[in-house]
Amino acid sequence: MRHALSIAFVTFAVATAAGTQSRPASAAPASANDQPVMLAQNNSGGPNLFSLFQDIQRLQSEVRDLQGQVDTLQYKLRQNEQGQRDLYENLDKRLNALENGGGTPGGAGMRDGSSTQQNDDYANSQDPEVEKQYSAAFDQLKNGNYDAAIGAFKGFLQQNPESSFTDNAWYWLGEANYVKRNYDASLEAFQTVVNRFRASDKVPGSLYKIGVIQDERGEVDNAYGTLKRVVDQYPDSSVAEMARKRLQGLDG
């Protein structure tokens, strides 16, 4: 952009100097307002000064357009940075809540974020090796190793497609892909939770994340419908309030 301004000023200086040389010595000094007229009139011999003046105007217009584009990009960058911070803060809070909710990863606290709710699937019917594999994948996610977590959850799901941890594994696979901005893979994981595990407590959160991804992709109508579904069908869920705030942003 600085180069464009420099070109404009240099060109204008050359044009002004050329115009001065072509005037008789006895001519009265011209005001700044008269310069375009003189440039337009002085077309006899030498460079086409009126054409140079038009070039200057065009360059100045291009500079203004570029400045507008820069301002727009800076605004979008600030929005993206804020969204990224919100994403990590939200994920970190959820992981901390799960970690402090009672039990080790994979226990009742891991499943619903609360140590008060007991889950017989985890207490009675879980193969310790399956639980160990799930815990290892979740530890990768908790430690911020998102690529490793994605690989670990995929491996877990391939080996344990119908375990008591399967709905959770799909959900956290969606979260890990969302952090990496792998939107297609993230949507597939969240939609699997919604479609295959309708009784899972991960359904409201999966729907919410589907709505968020739709919003970030610019699919405003789809996002509105999905977030409205969260509020209507799961008004008491932990993500209902976040869905309401997101809807307010879409309405605004």
Side-chain angles (χ1 to χ4, degrees):
M1 187 184 303
R2 294 193 184 96
H3 292 307
L5 286 171
S6 300
I7 292 173
F9 289 134
V10 170
T11 306
F12 185 76
V14 172
T16 304
T20 302
Q21 293 174 357
S22 64
R23 289 196 301 268
S26 59
S31 67
N33 292 333
D34 295 334
Q35 188 67 24
V37 176
M38 295 185 65
L39 290 174
Q41 291 174 343
N42 190 10
N43 287 325
S44 57
N48 188 331
L49 298 184
F50 181 65
S51 176
L52 290 175
F53 176 71
Q54 287 181 315
D55 289 341
I56 291 171
Q57 288 185 315
R58 176 178 55 79
L59 289 171
Q60 290 173 335
S61 176
E62 290 177 357
V63 168
R64 287 192 296 270
D65 290 341
L66 289 172
Q67 183 61 55
Q69 294 176 26
V70 169
D71 292 342
T72 300
L73 290 173
Q74 288 176 336
Y75 173 73
K76 290 182 177 180
L77 178 61
R78 288 193 297 269
Q79 283 189 316
N80 289 336
E81 289 175 346
Q82 183 61 48
Q84 190 75 5
R85 284 193 296 269
D86 292 344
L87 165 67
Y88 282 111
E89 288 175 3
N90 177 262
L91 182 58
D92 188 56
K93 288 178 182 177
R94 297 174 70 177
L95 291 174
N96 286 334
L98 292 170
E99 185 178 7
N100 298 324
T104 57
M110 174 59 65
R111 186 172 179 81
D112 61 13
S114 170
S115 60
T116 60
Q117 181 177 338
Q118 299 299 318
N119 191 300
D120 292 338
D121 288 340
Y122 287 79
N124 301 321
S125 64
Q126 194 54 250
D127 183 338
E129 192 61 34
V130 174
E131 182 174 352
K132 181 180 178 180
Q133 187 179 358
Y134 175 83
S135 297
F138 188 84
D139 284 343
Q140 295 288 356
L141 177 65
K142 186 171 62 176
N143 293 330
N145 302 323
Y146 300 115
D147 289 328
I150 290 171
F153 279 122
K154 283 183 176 180
F156 175 86
L157 289 167
Q158 287 175 354
Q159 297 180 37
N160 307 282
E162 301 296 338
S163 75
S164 299
F165 295 97
T166 299
D167 58 335
N168 274 24
W170 276 111
Y171 177 83
W172 292 115
L173 177 62
E175 287 280 16
N177 275 297
Y178 176 76
V179 172
K180 297 293 293 183
R181 291 295 192 261
N182 301 328
Y183 284 154
D184 288 340
S186 183
L187 276 175
E188 179 185 3
F190 289 130
Q191 288 168 345
T192 298
V193 176
V194 173
N195 296 330
R196 284 184 52 192
F197 305 95
R198 297 182 181 180
S200 171
D201 56 3
K202 289 294 184 285
V203 170
S206 296
L207 277 173
Y208 173 73
K209 273 305 176 63
I210 291 172
V212 169
I213 293 173
Q214 289 170 336
D215 184 18
E216 293 184 4
R217 281 183 157 182
E219 302 169 8
V220 178
D221 291 340
N222 291 336
Y224 191 93
T226 303
L227 295 171
K228 189 71 165 52
R229 181 179 171 186
V230 175
V231 173
D232 292 344
Q233 295 185 6
Y234 306 96
D236 299 324
S237 66
S238 60
V239 295
E241 185 59 30
M242 291 190 292
R244 292 187 186 97
K245 291 181 179 179
R246 196 98 186 186
L247 284 170
Q248 291 175 357
L250 292 177
D251 286 333

